[in-house]
Amino acid sequence: MNPIMQAAAACLQQERRQNEALALTRLRNALLRLGVRAELRDNDSALMIPRPQVGLPVWVFVGYGGAFHSWQSAEKRHPINDVAGAAQVLADYAGR
């Protein structure tokens, strides 16, 4: 790959990461409005939702080409453009 192509690919990768971080930030804010604690982790590439009872936290990622929030090893997902709906589903899933 020539240097121009490498620079273009790096720019697209950076833009994708920024879009994913923004999507996770919006989801975190919606969860906080519902009273659910959530923390951005790993350079803003994942959202961690601690469970109120004993158990492992729920880790949320942006997946499927940036179209969905996904969790539980990508078995569960919700469209990224429905932030309020995703927050409610995750709040219920986490046991809130």
Side-chain angles (χ1 to χ4, degrees):
M1 191 181 309
N2 69 43
I4 294 172
M5 296 282 289
Q6 287 176 337
C11 184
L12 288 173
Q13 182 74 359
Q14 173 84 12
E15 185 177 334
R16 183 187 62 79
R17 281 191 210 121
Q18 288 175 343
N19 289 340
E20 289 178 2
L22 181 59
L24 290 171
T25 300
R26 288 181 177 149
L27 180 58
R28 181 201 61 196
N29 293 342
L31 285 162
L32 291 174
R33 284 191 293 275
L34 293 174
V36 177
R37 195 175 105 222
E39 303 171 13
L40 285 168
R41 302 297 294 263
D42 300 331
N43 299 324
D44 298 341
S45 64
L47 188 67
M48 183 189 74
I49 305 168
R51 292 184 186 261
Q53 306 299 324
V54 175
L56 295 173
V58 178
W59 287 91
V60 183
F61 302 90
V62 174
Y64 298 93
F68 291 91
H69 293 289
S70 63
W71 62 97
Q72 191 180 326
S73 301
E75 291 179 13
K76 303 283 187 183
R77 64 181 182 226
H78 197 89
I80 205 164
N81 59 1
D82 179 18
V83 177
Q88 188 60 58
V89 168
L90 280 161
D92 295 342
Y93 182 79
R96 306 291 171 144

